[in-house]
């Protein structure tokens, strides 16, 4: 199928994007990589009257160090993140998770900002943002504001973005020395959305785990932070991995669908948590 008729805008600055959003209100959609939006438009599940293409806003495509943070522009391609030495060194969980996203052609076009703003509960990027307590920088007619990851995701395909706002940047704290990360995921076929996926970033001093950041995708209406599993693995160490995985399964809120029951997804969540923690600890 083909999309319904729409007006096409291609601004070149963030200010122009914000002005276009303000002018067209809820009738406009932002186009980033297009890997989620374009298929829904082709099936006419989405029918925006106005399409605002962000691909000419070059200022939103970057990865850079800023003090103790790594700043990533919203229009940075997932393939760029996958091959970035800065990301691999300082945000290892984002690096590990990106390799699980779909297929190479999709990562080449898809953007981190588009994925996070779309807030698909089965997507990897929102889970990483939630696990690492990233800060989301958004711009609207009232200026820029920062939104904590815990406040950004508000439900299924829903975020704290207002109708006149665009996500412009994601900021991640640099991982401390001794940090290790892993992402474990299972899907029906390689490249499909996750039935359950878990990302874990651990700080280790020898065999002792001093800090843990763990979140899951595919098992709730949005990314799920696994706080209890974090506390268990920090207090109990490697020996507590199975208990942490069990706590993760209890924290998930999956729904039954054509791909599996809620109970099945909880069992997958438990196993993916165990695998991610084993890999992060170096025991896989």
């Amino acid at each position: 199928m083909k999309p319904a008729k729409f007006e096409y805008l291609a601004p070149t600055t963030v200010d122009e994007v914000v002005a276009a959003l303000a002018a067209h209100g809820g009738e406009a959609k932002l186009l980033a990589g297009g890997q989620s939006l374009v298929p829904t438009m082709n099936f006419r599940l989405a029918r925006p009257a106005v399409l605002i293409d962000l691909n000419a806003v070059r200022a939103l495509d970057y990865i850079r160090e800023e003090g103790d943070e790594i700043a990533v522009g919203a229009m940075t391609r997932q393939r760029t993140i996958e091959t970035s030495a800065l990301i691999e060194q300082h945000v290892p969980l984002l690096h590990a998770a990106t390799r699980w996203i779909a297929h190479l052609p999709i990562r080449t076009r898809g953007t981190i900002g588009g994925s996070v703003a779309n807030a698909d509960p089965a997507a990897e990027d929102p889970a990483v943002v939630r696990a690492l307590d990233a800060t989301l920088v958004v711009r609207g007619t009232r200026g820029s504001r920062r939104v904590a990851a815990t406040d950004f995701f508000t439900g299924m395909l829903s975020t704290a973005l207002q109708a006149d706002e665009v996500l412009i940047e994601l900021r991640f704290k640099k991982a401390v020395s001794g940090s290790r990360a892993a992402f474990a995921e299972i899907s029906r076929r390689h490249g499909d959305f996750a039935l359950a996926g878990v990302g874990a970033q651990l700080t280790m001093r020898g065999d002792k785990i001093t800090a843990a950041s763990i979140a899951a995708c595919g098992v709730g209406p949005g990314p799920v932070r696994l706080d209890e599993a974090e506390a268990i693995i920090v207090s109990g160490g490697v020996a507590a991995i199975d208990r942490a995985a069990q706590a993760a399964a209890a924290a998930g809120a999956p729904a039954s669908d054509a791909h599996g029951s809620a109970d099945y997804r909880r069992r997958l969540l438990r196993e993916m948590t165990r695998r991610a923690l084993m890999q992060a600890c170096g025991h896989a």
Side-chain angles (χ1 to χ4, degrees):
M1 294 180 65
K2 295 182 179 180
K5 184 179 179 180
F6 59 87
E7 181 183 355
Y8 176 79
L9 302 177
T12 59
T13 68
V14 174
D15 287 343
E16 290 175 357
V17 173
V18 171
L21 286 171
H24 297 284
E27 295 184 340
K29 284 283 189 182
L30 295 172
L31 174 68
Q35 302 307 295
S36 298
L37 178 59
V38 171
T40 60
M41 289 177 63
N42 285 341
F43 282 107
R44 302 200 175 191
L45 299 174
R47 294 171 175 244
V50 180
L51 193 64
I52 304 172
D53 189 345
L54 301 178
N55 283 275
V57 187
R58 303 300 184 192
L60 296 183
D61 183 2
Y62 57 85
I63 300 172
R64 58 186 178 228
E65 290 185 78
E66 294 192 2
D68 64 347
E69 293 183 319
I70 297 295
V72 183
M75 285 299 292
T76 305
R77 308 291 172 182
Q78 290 159 334
R79 178 60 176 168
T80 302
I81 291 169
E82 183 181 6
T83 57
S84 167
L86 273 180
I87 295 294
E88 184 174 12
Q89 178 182 357
H90 295 299
V91 198
L93 181 55
L94 179 59
H95 181 262
T98 300
R99 291 178 291 177
W100 284 92
I101 297 173
H103 301 279
L104 179 58
I106 289 177
R107 295 195 298 275
T108 301
R109 288 297 304 165
T111 65
I112 186 171
S115 177
V116 171
N118 189 52
D120 192 304
E124 294 84 358
D125 281 336
V128 172
V129 164
R130 190 71 180 85
L132 299 182
D133 288 322
T135 298
L136 295 307
V137 184
V138 304
R139 178 89 60 85
T141 54
R142 294 167 297 283
S144 297
R145 65 186 179 103
R146 296 191 174 200
V147 184
T150 188
D151 299 320
F152 187 77
F153 302 102
T154 57
M156 177 78 72
L157 303 174
S158 176
T159 73
L161 284 169
Q162 301 299 310
D164 66 335
E165 289 182 324
V166 56
L167 174 62
I168 60 172
E169 185 178 78
L170 301 91
R171 302 184 72 91
F172 299 89
K173 288 286 187 183
K174 289 182 179 178
V176 301
S177 177
S179 294
R180 303 179 64 169
F183 200 93
E185 179 178 305
I186 189 166
S187 56
R188 294 183 66 212
R189 297 168 299 188
H190 172 68
D192 283 1
F193 277 116
L195 294 172
V198 175
Q201 186 164 297
L202 308 178
T203 302
M204 302 188 70
R205 297 288 182 268
D207 291 333
K208 182 176 177 59
I209 299 169
T210 60
S213 301
I214 313 171
C217 60
V219 291
V224 179
R225 184 71 181 264
L226 301 175
D227 307 89
E228 187 175 352
E230 293 173 354
I232 290 171
I233 198 68
V234 169
S235 63
V238 175
I241 284 178
D242 286 341
R243 286 196 294 118
Q246 190 62 46
S256 297
D257 59 21
H259 304 304
S261 68
D263 182 62
Y264 175 62
R265 287 181 185 265
R266 286 192 190 93
R267 285 184 282 136
L268 293 178
L269 173 57
R270 180 181 62 203
E271 177 59 20
M272 293 306 105
T273 302
R274 189 187 69 81
R275 291 186 190 183
L277 290 175
M278 290 288 284
Q279 292 170 22
C281 290
H283 289 269

